[in-house]
Amino acid sequence: MPELPEVETVRRGLAPVLIEKTIARVVVRRPDLRFALPHAFADRLAGRRVRALTRRGKFLLAALDDGGTWLTHLGMSGCFRLGGDERALDRHDHVVMVTEDGLPLVYRDPRRFGFMDLLTAGEGDGGPRLRGLGRDPLTDGFSPAYLRALLSGRAAPIKAVLLDQRVVAGMGNIYASESLFEAGIAPTRPARSLKADEVRLLVGCIKDVLARAIAVGGATLRDHRHPSGELGCFQHEFSVYHREGLPCPRCAASEGLALRDGARIARIAQGGRSTFYCPSCQR
DNA sequence: AACAAGACCTGCATGC
DNA sequence: TGCATGCAGGTCTTGT
């Protein structure tokens, strides 16, 4: 489900119901997520008050009143659901948290690629999972100079390098394809072959695509939704993702009815994952 | 060190 | 209808 815009959407949905609230009760229905929940997870989290809810890449971080941090990664299929009947749970509802207001917050994750962890106050750097993350693309630190330095010397395709969380924290398969389309850069280009002006353009496109996706609540492909149940809308604005064989929107705009055969969206596999792009205008 | 491929787990769409 | 296959928003591990 979630790349940066979807995780940010979840954060915004949870913030008003969690910040400055105490987590009264925690029920673990299944502890073996991608990684096993830490020892005594429920007991350690219950009774804690949430001071802040932030995001780092695709990680959700709840700062707790004891100085610790409750960390969640949604993996591929994780989601939070607010409210509803606490008794009407299905087999993929793995963790239930009830706030002091009596509001149930259910963590559901059919594939169990997601996980949760508790960091102690001492783990100021966020622990091993966060330590290697690159800069968040929506911060000023994610600059052309920063990205250029990380692309230099890398022979792998630019698409694969953008997915590297040490380079762009929060980038995922959809937005890597979409950002490269916006920038007019072919996903197959060796990362180190990008010129300075191409990197500058790409940085701007990454920020733009992610911001536009966040503005409409992310993309709902199968089951992403806001914690309150609303659907994201960005899938209606995809230019290339999941659009194999359809006309390239940029080529169609410039060529109209005379659209060439090569100006249709292609799908290729890179690193075992689908990449969508226009072979005609992405160079 | 960097890279590709495989592994993890479940559900769904497709085609026979 | 049933069954096999392939694919899915991620990342960790293994082997080259």
Side-chain angles (χ1 to χ4, degrees):
Chain A
M1 160 174 97
E3 303 183 30
L4 186 153
E6 290 75 36
V7 178
E8 177 62 20
T9 296
V10 171
R11 188 195 70 77
R12 292 180 183 189
L14 295 183
V17 300
L18 283 185
I19 293 177
E20 291 309 329
K21 302 287 183 187
T22 296
I23 299 171
R25 196 154 53 83
V26 178
V27 180
V28 173
R29 307 178 72 236
R30 179 153 192 175
D32 55 329
L33 307 182
R34 171 74 196 263
F35 309 106
L37 286 172
H39 177 68
F41 174 84
D43 287 342
R44 290 170 62 193
L45 185 55
R48 298 274 60 79
R49 195 171 180 84
V50 175
R51 294 298 190 200
L53 189 62
T54 57
R55 178 188 56 72
R56 181 85 174 82
K58 298 170 193 170
F59 290 85
L60 276 174
L61 305 170
L64 305 174
D65 59 356
D66 63 356
T69 303
W70 165 33
L71 171 157
T72 303
H73 192 297
L74 300 172
M76 287 277 260
S77 58
C79 64
F80 280 106
R81 185 175 73 245
L82 276 171
D85 185 352
E86 200 192 328
R87 257 154 286 279
L89 301 173
D90 85 359
R91 70 195 197 94
H92 300 304
D93 292 333
H94 304 312
V95 184
V96 180
M97 280 134 297
V98 183
T99 70
E100 64 181 70
D101 301 324
L103 185 66
L105 173 61
V106 180
Y107 176 71
R108 179 173 196 273
D109 185 1
R111 293 177 74 178
R112 281 184 291 127
F113 283 178
F115 56 89
M116 292 182 186
D117 202 356
L118 286 173
L119 308 178
T120 61
E123 296 174 282
D125 62 352
R129 305 205 193 287
L130 300 182
R131 206 169 289 146
L133 282 183
R135 293 185 184 170
D136 193 287
L138 294 180
T139 62
D140 290 343
F142 187 77
S143 64
Y146 165 80
L147 185 59
R148 200 170 175 217
L150 286 181
L151 298 186
S152 77
R154 296 201 58 172
I158 179 64
K159 156 67 161 28
V161 174
L162 289 182
L163 286 180
D164 185 339
Q165 300 300 294
R166 298 170 300 177
V167 177
V168 193
M171 182 57 74
N173 205 38
I174 293 176
Y175 298 100
S177 280
E178 292 293 320
S179 299
L180 286 166
F181 172 80
E182 287 299 321
I185 295 169
T188 49
R189 289 264 303 277
R192 65 183 177 201
S193 76
L194 268 64
K195 309 289 184 238
D197 60 338
E198 291 178 312
V199 175
R200 194 177 320 120
L201 180 60
L202 180 56
V203 164
C205 290
I206 288 170
K207 290 174 186 280
D208 178 65
V209 167
L210 294 176
R212 285 195 289 124
I214 290 171
V216 297
T220 298
L221 285 187
R222 23 178 68 77
D223 55 6
H224 160 72
R225 40 185 70 216
H226 304 202
S228 55
E230 305 153 66
L231 302 176
C233 293
F234 195 70
Q235 67 278 9
H236 301 305
E237 297 181 38
F238 288 165
S239 295
V240 291
Y241 187 82
H242 239 314
R243 294 178 56 82
E244 183 182 13
L246 295 174
C248 162
R250 182 163 43 218
C251 293
S254 64
E255 299 175 19
L257 295 175
L259 189 75
R260 288 156 299 120
D261 264 4
R264 290 183 180 278
I265 303 307
R267 175 167 78 164
I268 60 173
Q270 294 182 292
R273 316 205 58 196
S274 289
T275 298
F276 298 86
Y277 74 111
C278 174
S280 180
C281 64
Q282 288 181 250
R283 296 287 164 169

